[in-house]
Amino acid sequence: MAVIDFTFDPDLSRDFLRFGEELYRGDPHWIPPLRVDLIAQLSPSYPFYQSPGNRHRHFLAWRDGRVMGRISAFVNAAMHDADG
């Protein structure tokens, strides 16, 4: 298994979105988020990324040429306390 990290990579962003769609396809209880909203949230112009000190990284786990998992990590500079 390989884990790839990225921030603003169009191809990996597509893979990131596609994995969620494939994972939950057929689940009658899944309500998919609006794709346009998800695309916006992975875009450099999204307001979160414009705030100084905010950081993020997305991760995709790959096995045999297929995405097997995904996760994102965010640091919101406004949420730091006095101890950092």
Side-chain angles (χ1 to χ4, degrees), residues 16-64:
F16 193 90
L17 294 176
R18 189 176 314 125
F19 176 73
E21 295 166 354
E22 291 173 1
L23 180 64
Y24 295 109
R25 183 180 300 132
D27 182 340
H29 303 290
W30 183 57
I31 300 171
L34 294 175
R35 188 169 178 80
V36 67
D37 289 345
L38 293 176
I39 291 169
Q41 291 171 11
L42 293 173
S43 161
S45 61
Y46 195 66
F48 175 85
Y49 308 126
Q50 305 304 313
S51 297
N54 284 355
R55 298 187 313 269
H56 77 287
R57 179 91 44 210
H58 308 293
F59 300 86
L60 289 170
W62 292 82
R63 183 186 313 145
D64 299 327

Side-chain angles (χ1 to χ4, degrees), residues 59-77:
F59 300 86
L60 289 170
W62 292 82
R63 183 186 313 145
D64 299 327
R66 291 186 48 214
V67 176
M68 302 304 291
R70 69 178 185 176
I71 194 165
S72 293
F74 296 87
V75 174
N76 186 333

